[in-house]
Structures are given as structure tokens and as C-alpha cells.
Amino acid sequence: ADSRRSAGNGCNAADVAARVTAGAVLLDTREATEFAACHPQGALHVGLDGQYASWVGTLLGPDAAIVLVAAAGRAEEGVMRLARVGYENVVGTLAGGCEAWCAAGLPSETLELMPMGDTPPAGWGLLDVRREPEWRSHRLPGATHIPLAQLSERVGELNANAPWLVMCAGGYRSMIGASVLLRAGFTRVASAVGGVDAARRAGAALVGETVVA
């Protein structure tokens, strides 16, 4: 019952900022393009249109205080799907979304969305956040591999001042991973639209156990 009530607990931007300062996690559940265009600085992105509850459960502890950023009419869904997996500490939602956040003069960020073609972009480090079997199967040469489930713990292995293009199979997990890097203070981060699968379809040179030489 508590979690259902909190779905309607719209907090103004100043209240949300105070809760984040006190340790709450700002969880942005909107579409990838909306998150990329503008999101509150420090927000973790896990889109509702995917394995939402599973990834929140992987990345956050069950006692984490959560404030949702959700598209109009979808906050209740975000709360209920978390409650089903035992995450009932949603302490509110950001009323007015990112527009209200920016209007209050609070810091926001953007994220570059980079379509995948047959050639990786020059000058970017490639971070592949897929699972180990996916990585072994096929991958872009020269990519760094850290599975998404381990990224928060291993983010210190990466150069925070280098530009990183985060990729997965299709683009859902790379958005999460990119937000993890931004939260860790990385300054130039992009998410690969279409992921490794799009690169493969475009004819990119791949290596791995299933790649025919």
C-alpha cells in the first residue's frame, strides 16, 4: 500500500534535489531519446520498456531510496513493477519532469546517441556491457568488456577523461551503462543506437567464436 501511495507523491524539483543529497537515487525511466535530450545530473537510466525491474534489482540495493522520473501517466507502473520484486522504497516522483528540474535551476545533462555503422567512430573507446557469452560469440575488435551487472563496481578500471561509446546487443543496456558512467563523473559518454547487432548488420568487421573468418 505504501508503494502505491508514493506513485502519486509528486515532489517538486527542490524537494527531489534535497532527497538526492540525502542519499536517494534519481531513477529516470523515460524513453532513451528523452533521457538523452535532457535528464537531471546524476540520474540512473533504466527504461520502463525493457527488463526494468530486473536491472534496477541488479544495480540498486533493495533498501535504496528511489525518486522516479517518469513519462506522463507511467509513474504508477514504475512503482508497481518495482514493488513486485521487493523494491518498495520509492519515496516520490519528480513532478513536472526534467523541464521542472531545469526551470528550478538544477543541473542537467545530455547524452549523445550514436548510430552504429560498419566502422566504429574514430577517437572513442568502445565499452561493451553485454554478458560474457555474448561477448565471446561476437564483438568489435579493440572493445573493452565489462558486463553491465559489474560496471558500477568496476568503473574505476576506465579512464574517466576519455570518450566512451557504450554498446550492448540492441541499445537498452547501453543506455543504462552510459548513465552509470555519467553518474561516476565521466565527461564524454555516448550510447550506441542499435548496438553490436546493428554494427553486424552494417557489415562491421567482428571477431569471436561465431564469426567466420
PDB file of all heavy atoms in Angstrom, residues 147-180:
ATOM      1  N   PRO A 147      30.730  -6.472 -18.123  1.00  0.00           N
ATOM      2  CA  PRO A 147      29.290  -6.727 -18.104  1.00  0.00           C
ATOM      3  C   PRO A 147      28.550  -5.672 -17.280  1.00  0.00           C
ATOM      4  O   PRO A 147      29.059  -5.204 -16.250  1.00  0.00           O
ATOM      5  CB  PRO A 147      29.182  -8.113 -17.458  1.00  0.00           C
ATOM      6  CG  PRO A 147      30.509  -8.762 -17.718  1.00  0.00           C
ATOM      7  CD  PRO A 147      31.507  -7.636 -17.655  1.00  0.00           C
ATOM      8  N   LEU A 148      27.367  -5.299 -17.737  1.00  0.00           N
ATOM      9  CA  LEU A 148      26.613  -4.242 -17.075  1.00  0.00           C
ATOM     10  C   LEU A 148      26.421  -4.512 -15.591  1.00  0.00           C
ATOM     11  O   LEU A 148      26.505  -3.592 -14.772  1.00  0.00           O
ATOM     12  CB  LEU A 148      25.256  -4.076 -17.767  1.00  0.00           C
ATOM     13  CG  LEU A 148      24.322  -3.015 -17.192  1.00  0.00           C
ATOM     14  CD1 LEU A 148      24.986  -1.652 -17.135  1.00  0.00           C
ATOM     15  CD2 LEU A 148      23.024  -2.962 -18.003  1.00  0.00           C
ATOM     16  N   ALA A 149      26.189  -5.762 -15.220  1.00  0.00           N
ATOM     17  CA  ALA A 149      25.960  -6.086 -13.813  1.00  0.00           C
ATOM     18  C   ALA A 149      27.171  -5.774 -12.943  1.00  0.00           C
ATOM     19  O   ALA A 149      27.051  -5.624 -11.727  1.00  0.00           O
ATOM     20  CB  ALA A 149      25.579  -7.558 -13.666  1.00  0.00           C
ATOM     21  N   GLN A 150      28.368  -5.679 -13.557  1.00  0.00           N
ATOM     22  CA  GLN A 150      29.601  -5.403 -12.809  1.00  0.00           C
ATOM     23  C   GLN A 150      30.099  -3.970 -12.974  1.00  0.00           C
ATOM     24  O   GLN A 150      31.077  -3.568 -12.329  1.00  0.00           O
ATOM     25  CB  GLN A 150      30.709  -6.356 -13.279  1.00  0.00           C
ATOM     26  CG  GLN A 150      30.389  -7.828 -13.143  1.00  0.00           C
ATOM     27  CD  GLN A 150      31.455  -8.711 -13.795  1.00  0.00           C
ATOM     28  OE1 GLN A 150      32.571  -8.270 -14.061  1.00  0.00           O
ATOM     29  NE2 GLN A 150      31.098  -9.959 -14.053  1.00  0.00           N
ATOM     30  N   LEU A 151      29.441  -3.193 -13.825  1.00  0.00           N
ATOM     31  CA  LEU A 151      30.001  -1.906 -14.230  1.00  0.00           C
ATOM     32  C   LEU A 151      30.161  -0.935 -13.065  1.00  0.00           C
ATOM     33  O   LEU A 151      31.183  -0.257 -12.950  1.00  0.00           O
ATOM     34  CB  LEU A 151      29.143  -1.287 -15.338  1.00  0.00           C
ATOM     35  CG  LEU A 151      29.653   0.027 -15.937  1.00  0.00           C
ATOM     36  CD1 LEU A 151      31.065  -0.122 -16.481  1.00  0.00           C
ATOM     37  CD2 LEU A 151      28.708   0.501 -17.046  1.00  0.00           C
ATOM     38  N   SER A 152      29.164  -0.845 -12.199  1.00  0.00           N
ATOM     39  CA  SER A 152      29.256   0.107 -11.083  1.00  0.00           C
ATOM     40  C   SER A 152      30.471  -0.185 -10.206  1.00  0.00           C
ATOM     41  O   SER A 152      31.142   0.745  -9.734  1.00  0.00           O
ATOM     42  CB  SER A 152      27.980   0.065 -10.241  1.00  0.00           C
ATOM     43  OG  SER A 152      26.870   0.508 -10.986  1.00  0.00           O
ATOM     44  N   GLU A 153      30.771  -1.472 -10.016  1.00  0.00           N
ATOM     45  CA  GLU A 153      31.902  -1.855  -9.166  1.00  0.00           C
ATOM     46  C   GLU A 153      33.234  -1.688  -9.881  1.00  0.00           C
ATOM     47  O   GLU A 153      34.263  -1.459  -9.229  1.00  0.00           O
ATOM     48  CB  GLU A 153      31.752  -3.318  -8.736  1.00  0.00           C
ATOM     49  CG  GLU A 153      30.486  -3.625  -7.957  1.00  0.00           C
ATOM     50  CD  GLU A 153      30.216  -5.121  -7.885  1.00  0.00           C
ATOM     51  OE1 GLU A 153      31.051  -5.909  -8.384  1.00  0.00           O
ATOM     52  OE2 GLU A 153      29.168  -5.499  -7.330  1.00  0.00           O
ATOM     53  N   ARG A 154      33.240  -1.789 -11.203  1.00  0.00           N
ATOM     54  CA  ARG A 154      34.495  -1.803 -11.958  1.00  0.00           C
ATOM     55  C   ARG A 154      34.744  -0.537 -12.768  1.00  0.00           C
ATOM     56  O   ARG A 154      35.697  -0.474 -13.547  1.00  0.00           O
ATOM     57  CB  ARG A 154      34.503  -3.022 -12.893  1.00  0.00           C
ATOM     58  CG  ARG A 154      34.483  -4.360 -12.154  1.00  0.00           C
ATOM     59  CD  ARG A 154      34.413  -5.530 -13.110  1.00  0.00           C
ATOM     60  NE  ARG A 154      35.521  -5.521 -14.077  1.00  0.00           N
ATOM     61  CZ  ARG A 154      35.603  -6.329 -15.128  1.00  0.00           C
ATOM     62  NH1 ARG A 154      34.624  -7.207 -15.360  1.00  0.00           N
ATOM     63  NH2 ARG A 154      36.633  -6.267 -15.950  1.00  0.00           N
ATOM     64  N   VAL A 155      33.926   0.480 -12.546  1.00  0.00           N
ATOM     65  CA  VAL A 155      34.034   1.687 -13.358  1.00  0.00           C
ATOM     66  C   VAL A 155      35.408   2.346 -13.203  1.00  0.00           C
ATOM     67  O   VAL A 155      35.903   3.023 -14.114  1.00  0.00           O
ATOM     68  CB  VAL A 155      32.890   2.666 -13.002  1.00  0.00           C
ATOM     69  CG1 VAL A 155      33.101   3.289 -11.627  1.00  0.00           C
ATOM     70  CG2 VAL A 155      32.732   3.729 -14.068  1.00  0.00           C
ATOM     71  N   GLY A 156      36.077   2.104 -12.081  1.00  0.00           N
ATOM     72  CA  GLY A 156      37.405   2.655 -11.857  1.00  0.00           C
ATOM     73  C   GLY A 156      38.469   2.100 -12.786  1.00  0.00           C
ATOM     74  O   GLY A 156      39.590   2.644 -12.866  1.00  0.00           O
ATOM     75  N   GLU A 157      38.160   1.014 -13.495  1.00  0.00           N
ATOM     76  CA  GLU A 157      39.102   0.454 -14.463  1.00  0.00           C
ATOM     77  C   GLU A 157      39.180   1.284 -15.748  1.00  0.00           C
ATOM     78  O   GLU A 157      40.076   1.076 -16.571  1.00  0.00           O
ATOM     79  CB  GLU A 157      38.700  -0.982 -14.818  1.00  0.00           C
ATOM     80  CG  GLU A 157      38.712  -1.942 -13.632  1.00  0.00           C
ATOM     81  CD  GLU A 157      38.178  -3.316 -14.008  1.00  0.00           C
ATOM     82  OE1 GLU A 157      38.175  -3.664 -15.209  1.00  0.00           O
ATOM     83  OE2 GLU A 157      37.756  -4.051 -13.089  1.00  0.00           O
ATOM     84  N   LEU A 158      38.252   2.207 -15.922  1.00  0.00           N
ATOM     85  CA  LEU A 158      38.181   3.003 -17.143  1.00  0.00           C
ATOM     86  C   LEU A 158      38.699   4.416 -16.907  1.00  0.00           C
ATOM     87  O   LEU A 158      38.586   4.958 -15.813  1.00  0.00           O
ATOM     88  CB  LEU A 158      36.725   3.075 -17.629  1.00  0.00           C
ATOM     89  CG  LEU A 158      36.019   1.743 -17.876  1.00  0.00           C
ATOM     90  CD1 LEU A 158      34.537   1.986 -18.153  1.00  0.00           C
ATOM     91  CD2 LEU A 158      36.669   0.990 -19.020  1.00  0.00           C
ATOM     92  N   ASN A 159      39.231   5.021 -17.961  1.00  0.00           N
ATOM     93  CA  ASN A 159      39.707   6.403 -17.907  1.00  0.00           C
ATOM     94  C   ASN A 159      38.506   7.344 -17.998  1.00  0.00           C
ATOM     95  O   ASN A 159      37.860   7.438 -19.045  1.00  0.00           O
ATOM     96  CB  ASN A 159      40.683   6.655 -19.060  1.00  0.00           C
ATOM     97  CG  ASN A 159      41.205   8.094 -19.085  1.00  0.00           C
ATOM     98  OD1 ASN A 159      40.826   8.929 -18.266  1.00  0.00           O
ATOM     99  ND2 ASN A 159      42.079   8.379 -20.030  1.00  0.00           N
ATOM    100  N   ALA A 160      38.219   8.040 -16.923  1.00  0.00           N
ATOM    101  CA  ALA A 160      37.026   8.888 -16.870  1.00  0.00           C
ATOM    102  C   ALA A 160      37.138  10.113 -17.769  1.00  0.00           C
ATOM    103  O   ALA A 160      36.135  10.763 -18.077  1.00  0.00           O
ATOM    104  CB  ALA A 160      36.755   9.331 -15.430  1.00  0.00           C
ATOM    105  N   ASN A 161      38.354  10.442 -18.210  1.00  0.00           N
ATOM    106  CA  ASN A 161      38.544  11.615 -19.060  1.00  0.00           C
ATOM    107  C   ASN A 161      38.515  11.282 -20.547  1.00  0.00           C
ATOM    108  O   ASN A 161      38.558  12.179 -21.390  1.00  0.00           O
ATOM    109  CB  ASN A 161      39.871  12.296 -18.720  1.00  0.00           C
ATOM    110  CG  ASN A 161      39.881  12.841 -17.304  1.00  0.00           C
ATOM    111  OD1 ASN A 161      38.930  13.489 -16.880  1.00  0.00           O
ATOM    112  ND2 ASN A 161      40.935  12.564 -16.555  1.00  0.00           N
ATOM    113  N   ALA A 162      38.448   9.996 -20.877  1.00  0.00           N
ATOM    114  CA  ALA A 162      38.386   9.572 -22.274  1.00  0.00           C
ATOM    115  C   ALA A 162      36.929   9.505 -22.724  1.00  0.00           C
ATOM    116  O   ALA A 162      36.026   9.296 -21.912  1.00  0.00           O
ATOM    117  CB  ALA A 162      39.046   8.203 -22.430  1.00  0.00           C
ATOM    118  N   PRO A 163      36.672   9.676 -24.036  1.00  0.00           N
ATOM    119  CA  PRO A 163      35.302   9.495 -24.542  1.00  0.00           C
ATOM    120  C   PRO A 163      34.973   8.020 -24.687  1.00  0.00           C
ATOM    121  O   PRO A 163      35.769   7.252 -25.238  1.00  0.00           O
ATOM    122  CB  PRO A 163      35.334  10.196 -25.899  1.00  0.00           C
ATOM    123  CG  PRO A 163      36.765  10.149 -26.328  1.00  0.00           C
ATOM    124  CD  PRO A 163      37.596  10.146 -25.078  1.00  0.00           C
ATOM    125  N   TRP A 164      33.801   7.617 -24.205  1.00  0.00           N
ATOM    126  CA  TRP A 164      33.403   6.214 -24.239  1.00  0.00           C
ATOM    127  C   TRP A 164      32.079   6.060 -24.971  1.00  0.00           C
ATOM    128  O   TRP A 164      31.093   6.730 -24.653  1.00  0.00           O
ATOM    129  CB  TRP A 164      33.265   5.656 -22.819  1.00  0.00           C
ATOM    130  CG  TRP A 164      34.578   5.452 -22.143  1.00  0.00           C
ATOM    131  CD1 TRP A 164      35.175   6.277 -21.227  1.00  0.00           C
ATOM    132  CD2 TRP A 164      35.471   4.350 -22.324  1.00  0.00           C
ATOM    133  NE1 TRP A 164      36.383   5.763 -20.840  1.00  0.00           N
ATOM    134  CE2 TRP A 164      36.600   4.575 -21.499  1.00  0.00           C
ATOM    135  CE3 TRP A 164      35.427   3.196 -23.120  1.00  0.00           C
ATOM    136  CZ2 TRP A 164      37.666   3.691 -21.441  1.00  0.00           C
ATOM    137  CZ3 TRP A 164      36.492   2.316 -23.064  1.00  0.00           C
ATOM    138  CH2 TRP A 164      37.601   2.562 -22.232  1.00  0.00           C
ATOM    139  N   LEU A 165      32.069   5.144 -25.917  1.00  0.00           N
ATOM    140  CA  LEU A 165      30.843   4.729 -26.589  1.00  0.00           C
ATOM    141  C   LEU A 165      30.427   3.394 -25.991  1.00  0.00           C
ATOM    142  O   LEU A 165      31.137   2.395 -26.119  1.00  0.00           O
ATOM    143  CB  LEU A 165      31.075   4.589 -28.097  1.00  0.00           C
ATOM    144  CG  LEU A 165      29.904   4.033 -28.914  1.00  0.00           C
ATOM    145  CD1 LEU A 165      28.675   4.926 -28.777  1.00  0.00           C
ATOM    146  CD2 LEU A 165      30.301   3.876 -30.380  1.00  0.00           C
ATOM    147  N   VAL A 166      29.276   3.393 -25.304  1.00  0.00           N
ATOM    148  CA  VAL A 166      28.803   2.197 -24.606  1.00  0.00           C
ATOM    149  C   VAL A 166      27.885   1.423 -25.539  1.00  0.00           C
ATOM    150  O   VAL A 166      27.000   2.007 -26.182  1.00  0.00           O
ATOM    151  CB  VAL A 166      28.060   2.580 -23.310  1.00  0.00           C
ATOM    152  CG1 VAL A 166      27.702   1.331 -22.513  1.00  0.00           C
ATOM    153  CG2 VAL A 166      28.912   3.530 -22.463  1.00  0.00           C
ATOM    154  N   MET A 167      28.094   0.111 -25.614  1.00  0.00           N
ATOM    155  CA  MET A 167      27.276  -0.700 -26.518  1.00  0.00           C
ATOM    156  C   MET A 167      26.839  -1.990 -25.847  1.00  0.00           C
ATOM    157  O   MET A 167      27.487  -2.498 -24.930  1.00  0.00           O
ATOM    158  CB  MET A 167      28.056  -1.012 -27.798  1.00  0.00           C
ATOM    159  CG  MET A 167      29.292  -1.869 -27.589  1.00  0.00           C
ATOM    160  SD  MET A 167      30.244  -2.061 -29.111  1.00  0.00           S
ATOM    161  CE  MET A 167      30.787  -0.374 -29.339  1.00  0.00           C
ATOM    162  N   CYS A 168      25.690  -2.491 -26.330  1.00  0.00           N
ATOM    163  CA  CYS A 168      25.194  -3.801 -25.917  1.00  0.00           C
ATOM    164  C   CYS A 168      24.731  -4.488 -27.187  1.00  0.00           C
ATOM    165  O   CYS A 168      25.274  -4.247 -28.264  1.00  0.00           O
ATOM    166  CB  CYS A 168      24.096  -3.672 -24.868  1.00  0.00           C
ATOM    167  SG  CYS A 168      22.620  -2.780 -25.432  1.00  0.00           S
ATOM    168  N   ALA A 169      23.735  -5.339 -27.105  1.00  0.00           N
ATOM    169  CA  ALA A 169      23.255  -6.007 -28.310  1.00  0.00           C
ATOM    170  C   ALA A 169      22.390  -5.082 -29.154  1.00  0.00           C
ATOM    171  O   ALA A 169      22.552  -5.003 -30.370  1.00  0.00           O
ATOM    172  CB  ALA A 169      22.486  -7.274 -27.946  1.00  0.00           C
ATOM    173  N   GLY A 170      21.437  -4.383 -28.499  1.00  0.00           N
ATOM    174  CA  GLY A 170      20.488  -3.586 -29.259  1.00  0.00           C
ATOM    175  C   GLY A 170      20.332  -2.147 -28.824  1.00  0.00           C
ATOM    176  O   GLY A 170      19.747  -1.345 -29.535  1.00  0.00           O
ATOM    177  N   GLY A 171      20.803  -1.787 -27.618  1.00  0.00           N
ATOM    178  CA  GLY A 171      20.739  -0.401 -27.179  1.00  0.00           C
ATOM    179  C   GLY A 171      20.099  -0.168 -25.823  1.00  0.00           C
ATOM    180  O   GLY A 171      20.282   0.896 -25.238  1.00  0.00           O
ATOM    181  N   TYR A 172      19.372  -1.154 -25.285  1.00  0.00           N
ATOM    182  CA  TYR A 172      18.711  -0.944 -23.990  1.00  0.00           C
ATOM    183  C   TYR A 172      19.722  -0.907 -22.850  1.00  0.00           C
ATOM    184  O   TYR A 172      19.749   0.029 -22.039  1.00  0.00           O
ATOM    185  CB  TYR A 172      17.667  -2.042 -23.753  1.00  0.00           C
ATOM    186  CG  TYR A 172      16.927  -1.906 -22.431  1.00  0.00           C
ATOM    187  CD1 TYR A 172      15.887  -0.996 -22.298  1.00  0.00           C
ATOM    188  CD2 TYR A 172      17.272  -2.682 -21.330  1.00  0.00           C
ATOM    189  CE1 TYR A 172      15.208  -0.857 -21.092  1.00  0.00           C
ATOM    190  CE2 TYR A 172      16.602  -2.554 -20.129  1.00  0.00           C
ATOM    191  CZ  TYR A 172      15.569  -1.640 -20.015  1.00  0.00           C
ATOM    192  OH  TYR A 172      14.911  -1.497 -18.813  1.00  0.00           O
ATOM    193  N   ARG A 173      20.578  -1.914 -22.789  1.00  0.00           N
ATOM    194  CA  ARG A 173      21.553  -1.973 -21.694  1.00  0.00           C
ATOM    195  C   ARG A 173      22.626  -0.896 -21.817  1.00  0.00           C
ATOM    196  O   ARG A 173      23.157  -0.416 -20.808  1.00  0.00           O
ATOM    197  CB  ARG A 173      22.200  -3.364 -21.645  1.00  0.00           C
ATOM    198  CG  ARG A 173      21.279  -4.458 -21.139  1.00  0.00           C
ATOM    199  CD  ARG A 173      21.897  -5.834 -21.298  1.00  0.00           C
ATOM    200  NE  ARG A 173      21.974  -6.238 -22.711  1.00  0.00           N
ATOM    201  CZ  ARG A 173      22.569  -7.351 -23.141  1.00  0.00           C
ATOM    202  NH1 ARG A 173      23.173  -8.154 -22.278  1.00  0.00           N
ATOM    203  NH2 ARG A 173      22.581  -7.654 -24.419  1.00  0.00           N
ATOM    204  N   SER A 174      22.943  -0.506 -23.047  1.00  0.00           N
ATOM    205  CA  SER A 174      23.974   0.522 -23.206  1.00  0.00           C
ATOM    206  C   SER A 174      23.511   1.861 -22.642  1.00  0.00           C
ATOM    207  O   SER A 174      24.324   2.641 -22.136  1.00  0.00           O
ATOM    208  CB  SER A 174      24.381   0.669 -24.674  1.00  0.00           C
ATOM    209  OG  SER A 174      23.318   1.148 -25.463  1.00  0.00           O
ATOM    210  N   MET A 175      22.217   2.144 -22.707  1.00  0.00           N
ATOM    211  CA  MET A 175      21.702   3.362 -22.098  1.00  0.00           C
ATOM    212  C   MET A 175      21.895   3.330 -20.584  1.00  0.00           C
ATOM    213  O   MET A 175      22.285   4.327 -19.972  1.00  0.00           O
ATOM    214  CB  MET A 175      20.219   3.528 -22.430  1.00  0.00           C
ATOM    215  CG  MET A 175      19.920   3.983 -23.841  1.00  0.00           C
ATOM    216  SD  MET A 175      20.527   5.652 -24.215  1.00  0.00           S
ATOM    217  CE  MET A 175      19.650   6.626 -22.983  1.00  0.00           C
ATOM    218  N   ILE A 176      21.620   2.188 -19.983  1.00  0.00           N
ATOM    219  CA  ILE A 176      21.846   2.044 -18.543  1.00  0.00           C
ATOM    220  C   ILE A 176      23.321   2.244 -18.231  1.00  0.00           C
ATOM    221  O   ILE A 176      23.697   2.997 -17.326  1.00  0.00           O
ATOM    222  CB  ILE A 176      21.385   0.657 -18.053  1.00  0.00           C
ATOM    223  CG1 ILE A 176      19.907   0.416 -18.386  1.00  0.00           C
ATOM    224  CG2 ILE A 176      21.631   0.513 -16.548  1.00  0.00           C
ATOM    225  CD1 ILE A 176      19.429  -1.004 -18.094  1.00  0.00           C
ATOM    226  N   GLY A 177      24.171   1.560 -19.002  1.00  0.00           N
ATOM    227  CA  GLY A 177      25.611   1.658 -18.770  1.00  0.00           C
ATOM    228  C   GLY A 177      26.132   3.064 -18.943  1.00  0.00           C
ATOM    229  O   GLY A 177      26.976   3.537 -18.160  1.00  0.00           O
ATOM    230  N   ALA A 178      25.642   3.763 -19.965  1.00  0.00           N
ATOM    231  CA  ALA A 178      26.073   5.143 -20.172  1.00  0.00           C
ATOM    232  C   ALA A 178      25.702   6.015 -18.986  1.00  0.00           C
ATOM    233  O   ALA A 178      26.480   6.879 -18.553  1.00  0.00           O
ATOM    234  CB  ALA A 178      25.461   5.693 -21.462  1.00  0.00           C
ATOM    235  N   SER A 179      24.518   5.789 -18.426  1.00  0.00           N
ATOM    236  CA  SER A 179      24.113   6.589 -17.260  1.00  0.00           C
ATOM    237  C   SER A 179      24.965   6.266 -16.041  1.00  0.00           C
ATOM    238  O   SER A 179      25.250   7.142 -15.223  1.00  0.00           O
ATOM    239  CB  SER A 179      22.624   6.404 -16.958  1.00  0.00           C
ATOM    240  OG  SER A 179      22.330   5.153 -16.357  1.00  0.00           O
ATOM    241  N   VAL A 180      25.416   5.010 -15.929  1.00  0.00           N
ATOM    242  CA  VAL A 180      26.327   4.643 -14.832  1.00  0.00           C
ATOM    243  C   VAL A 180      27.632   5.427 -14.962  1.00  0.00           C
ATOM    244  O   VAL A 180      28.165   5.949 -13.965  1.00  0.00           O
ATOM    245  CB  VAL A 180      26.584   3.125 -14.828  1.00  0.00           C
ATOM    246  CG1 VAL A 180      27.716   2.770 -13.864  1.00  0.00           C
ATOM    247  CG2 VAL A 180      25.320   2.363 -14.456  1.00  0.00           C
TER     248      VAL A 180
END
